């Protein structure tokens, strides 16, 4: 695996991490097309570290505000909501880690998962945003939905944002919560995957930095683009794309 291939995959990861089209699914397909064999989800974890930096960069002011006002009740509630929504994915990830890793080697499973993501995004057209606020109940529902996104081909941002929309939460609030929620999830996945990196010794320092930086810079652009598209109400367009790519993945 050379650095050019890493850059290509890093750009692919950065573009698809925040767009609701499943970065993990596209990474599996990208490796298949390029003929790259990366064991498990180690390479994906490196890219996720880069896109984690993208989230922190874009939402730096919000994160700083959370830290400054951590003694305030609204901030404590927000942190409680994020914690509740994080638990399901954390439990599933720990219990079924090895089984989930096997799915990263199956193009067919990614194709079916992308089709499911596409249908979910299209159904967002029927959501009713009545300006509802987050609650412990809605956070738990979003967390359960997020747990499904561990499967490659299922979009984490897509599923969590659509779940929020159907719970009556506005697109802007839904997106912000989804991306703040990605911080502990990506950090936890990276920490867990670091043990694999130490054991495998397959990735050199230049490879690791290329993977992280390429996904970081492209991730910033993709995140800004998605926030604008959400404001324009064009979220469901990605559903058509996911179904198209999913069908192609199944047929190849």
């Amino acid at each position: 695996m050379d650095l050019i291939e890493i850059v290509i995959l890093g750009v692919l990861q950065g573009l698809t991490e925040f767009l609701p089209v499943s970065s993990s699914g596209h990474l599996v397909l990208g490796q298949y097309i390029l003929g790259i064999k990366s064991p498990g989800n180690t390479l994906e974890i490196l890219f996720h570290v880069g896109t984690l930096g993208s989230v922190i960069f874009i939402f730096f002011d919000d994160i700083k505000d959370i830290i400054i006002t951590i003694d305030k009740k609204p901030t404590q509630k927000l942190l409680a909501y994020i914690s509740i929504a994080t638990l399901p994915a954390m439990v599933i990830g720990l219990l079924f880690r090895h089984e989930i890793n096997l799915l990263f080697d199956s193009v067919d499973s990614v194709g079916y998962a992308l089709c499911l993501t596409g249908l979910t995004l299209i159904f967002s057209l029927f959501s009713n945003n009545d300006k509802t606020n987050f609650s412990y109940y809605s956070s738990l529902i979003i967390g359960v939905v997020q747990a499904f996104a561990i499967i490659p081909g299922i979009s984490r941002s897509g599923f969590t944002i659509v779940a929020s929309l159907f719970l009556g939460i506005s697109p802007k609030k839904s997106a912000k919560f989804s991306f703040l929620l990605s911080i502990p999830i990506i950090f936890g996945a990276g920490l867990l995957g670091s043990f694999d990196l130490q054991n495998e010794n397959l990735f050199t320092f230049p490879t690791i930095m290329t993977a992280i930086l390429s996904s970081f810079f492209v991730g910033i652009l993709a995140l800004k683009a998605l926030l604008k598209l959400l404001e324009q109400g064009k979220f469901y367009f990605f559903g058509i794309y996911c179904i198209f790519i999913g069908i192609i993945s199944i047929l190849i």
Side-chain angles (χ1 to χ4, degrees), residues 118-139:
L119 291 174
T120 301
L121 295 176
I122 291 173
F123 283 147
S124 69
L125 280 169
F126 304 102
S127 62
N128 180 26
N129 307 319
D130 55 6
K131 309 303 180 183
T132 301
N133 290 319
F134 286 99
S135 65
Y136 296 113
Y137 169 75
S138 64
S139 299

